[in-house]
């Protein structure tokens, strides 16, 4: 769609020069004027009729027409899950997820982040984790899980904390410490079976980084730097992230943007590490221990954003007897509706559930009794969706299924 010279010159008045720079940096080679206004992006966005649907094309057009105030005041900025499905279909590659994040960054600088989302970020910065879990409670949970581990495998099986020189530093989602401690136990079983040299930190152990969602670049930098400093303090060789899509995206995407440099050590998801263990024969699995039909949900940040599609499928095919793909899948998979900070935006609770209806329909078509996904935000959203839409399906992380299928010498 052509724009007149007058409109071209009106783009981004001095008040919004900082916003213009953020958008330019976010879009890279593509620009707002690259948009063909063809509407393919809107067709790829599974928002449905939720009262205030997200229209990626409308956001671009309003910015092009010099209506920045209207865009920044729109609920669309916060209803967007930044899933990136629209970008997959965009013929010119306009990255809407990064564009929306740039808009949120501008709002964050003006103190205009929704209150509940900002509280999650602030709590992570001030307390060390986004749920405000005390050091004592965290360590008590680890002791409890170590007792469970040793009851099954003996006193040599440990959940090490602050082990200097361990090859791997593993970081978790606070939801695991507070609500899902068996996920910590499952990971410990996998590390034990693989003979891994690993450790958890007593100081910086929260993998999450909700600044990716809020747009708060300063907070994002603080949270990334804490993990980097802890890897250095403990002398570990690699940082392994728990099954948390946005956390993985933040630690991979954030350092160069927030710190100005790459991290001096590799960062991988535990899903990638489990696939490596399988390929190397470091763990053995008996899929008959997971006989119920299982389908897989591709988290947007792990899949579309970071390209991790095949490793989780290799893991599941080794861990379960009946693996069933959703349609569509991989880069075409539908967002669950819980990304972009939506789980913290209680004011949009009904919209979040409406966004997930298409995901429920996907799951139903597979006939699976278990949905596996390597993302705690997705787990929470999928559980909410199953309750809301009365779908009797269990939601699990991959590490839980792998731990259940482990074959360990002396325990066959």
């Amino acid at each position: 769609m052509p724009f007149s010279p007058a409109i071209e010159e009106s783009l981004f008045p001095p008040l919004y020069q900082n916003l213009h720079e953020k958008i330019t940096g976010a879009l890279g080679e593509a620009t707002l004027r690259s948009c063909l206004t063809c509407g393919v992006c809107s067709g790829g966005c599974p928002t449905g009729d939720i009262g205030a649907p997200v229209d990626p094309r409308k956001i671009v057009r309003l910015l092009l027409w010099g209506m920045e105030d209207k865009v920044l005041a729109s609920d669309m900025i916060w209803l967007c899950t930044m899933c990136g499905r629209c970008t997959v279909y965009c013929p010119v590659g306009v990255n809407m997820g990064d564009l929306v994040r740039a808009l949120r960054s501008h709002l964050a600088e003006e103190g205009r982040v929704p209150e509940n989302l900002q509280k999650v970020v602030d709590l992570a910065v001030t307390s060390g984790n986004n749920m405000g879990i005390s050091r004592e409670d965290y360590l008590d949970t680890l002791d409890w899980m170590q007792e469970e581990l040793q009851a099954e495998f003996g006193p040599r099986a440990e959940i090490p904390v602050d082990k200097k020189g361990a090859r791997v530093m593993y970081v978790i989602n606070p939801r695991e410490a507070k609500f899902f401690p068996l996920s910590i136990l499952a990971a410990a079983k996998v590390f034990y079976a693989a003979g891994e040299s690993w450790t958890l930190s007593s100081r910086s152990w929260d993998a999450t980084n909700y600044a990716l969602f809020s747009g708060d670049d300063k907070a994002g930098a603080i949270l990334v730097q804490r993990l980097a400093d802890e890897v250095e303090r403990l002398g570990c060789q690699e940082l392994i992230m728990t099954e948390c899509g946005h956390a993985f995206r933040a630690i991979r995407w954030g350092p160069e943007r927030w710190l100005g440099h790459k991290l001096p050590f590799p960062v991988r998801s535990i899903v990638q590490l489990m696939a490596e263990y399988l390929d190397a024969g470091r763990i053995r699995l008996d899929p008959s221990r997971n006989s119920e039909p299982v389908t897989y949900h591709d988290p947007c940040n792990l899949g579309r954003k970071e390209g991790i599609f095949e490793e989780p499928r290799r893991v599941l095919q080794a861990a379960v007897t009946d693996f069933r793909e959703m349609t569509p899948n991989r880069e075409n998979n539908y967002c669950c509706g819980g990304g972009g900070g939506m789980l913290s935006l209680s004011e949009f609770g009904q919209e979040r559930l409406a966004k997930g209806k298409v995901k429920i329909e996907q799951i139903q078509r597979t006939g699976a009794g278990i949905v596996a996904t390597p993302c705690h935000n997705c787990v929470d959203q999928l559980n909410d969706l199953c309750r809301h839409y009365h779908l009797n399906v269990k939601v699990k992380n991959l590490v839980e299924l792998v731990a259940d299928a482990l074959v360990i010498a002396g325990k066959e």
Side-chain angles (χ1 to χ4, degrees), residues 11 16 61-72:
L11 294 179
Y16 289 111
R61 293 170 83 178
L62 288 173
L63 290 171
L64 282 169
W65 292 338
M67 301 175 72
E68 299 87 0
D69 284 333
K70 188 169 182 177
V71 174
L72 293 171

Side-chain angles (χ1 to χ4, degrees), residues 187-331:
K189 289 181 180 181
V190 173
F191 287 136
Y192 173 74
E196 186 62 85
S197 170
W198 71 291
T199 190
L200 289 160
S201 165
S202 65
R203 300 181 185 178
S204 297
W205 52 268
D206 182 357
T208 67
N209 194 328
Y210 263 57
L212 180 72
F213 297 149
S214 73
D216 189 336
D217 295 327
K218 291 181 180 178
I222 290 170
L223 299 177
V224 165
Q225 189 63 59
R226 283 178 181 170
L227 294 182
D229 289 345
E230 197 64 357
V231 172
E232 181 180 1
R233 181 181 77 87
L234 295 176
C236 298
Q237 299 174 31
E238 184 172 18
L239 178 62
I240 297 295
M241 310 295 286
T242 189
E243 296 180 55
C244 184
H246 92 270
F248 187 71
R249 174 65 172 168
I251 198 71
R252 301 262 289 199
W253 177 88
E256 289 185 75
R257 291 160 179 81
W258 296 330
L259 305 179
H261 59 81
K262 294 182 178 180
L263 295 177
F265 48 81
V267 178
R268 288 191 293 169
S269 164
I270 191 172
V271 176
Q272 293 172 291
L273 187 59
M274 289 191 296
E276 180 183 279
Y277 289 159
L278 282 167
D279 292 344
R282 292 180 62 179
I283 59 174
R284 290 192 298 132
L285 304 181
D286 177 1
S288 68
R289 297 178 182 177
N290 292 312
S291 59
E292 195 168 356
V294 177
T295 190
Y296 177 70
H297 166 67
D298 286 283
C300 302
N301 282 298
L302 201 71
R304 261 190 296 271
K305 299 292 183 71
E306 291 296 333
I308 298 176
F309 296 117
E310 303 314 317
E311 294 96 323
R313 287 169 168 82
R314 294 210 309 274
V315 168
L316 283 175
Q317 286 164 354
V320 308
T321 58
D322 187 354
F323 172 62
R324 305 179 182 185
E325 282 280 13
M326 289 189 203
T327 302
N329 55 68
R330 294 174 171 83
E331 64 269 16

Side-chain angles (χ1 to χ4, degrees), residues 243 290 370-374 379 394-398 400-401 404:
E243 296 180 55
N290 292 312
I370 296 173
V371 181
T373 186
V379 167
K394 297 184 286 291
V395 185
K396 293 189 175 185
N397 286 134
L398 272 67
E400 298 173 60
L401 293 168
D404 288 343

Side-chain angles (χ1 to χ4, degrees), residues 170-188:
Y170 182 56
V171 287
I172 66 172
N173 188 308
R175 282 180 173 83
E176 295 174 77
K178 192 163 187 174
F179 301 118
F180 304 110
L182 294 181
S183 292
I184 301 173
L185 178 61

Side-chain angles (χ1 to χ4, degrees), residues 1-3 8 33 35-37 61 64-65:
M1 178 178 179
F3 295 93
E8 294 277 3
R33 285 185 285 274
C35 176
L36 303 174
T37 65
R61 293 170 83 178
L64 282 169
W65 292 338

Side-chain angles (χ1 to χ4, degrees), residues 3 11-12 20 23 27 30-36 59-61 63-64 94 99:
F3 295 93
L11 294 179
F12 301 105
H20 185 198
I23 289 174
L27 294 180
T31 68
L32 291 175
R33 285 185 285 274
S34 299
C35 176
L36 303 174
I59 293 174
V60 172
R61 293 170 83 178
L63 290 171
L64 282 169
V94 176
L99 171 59

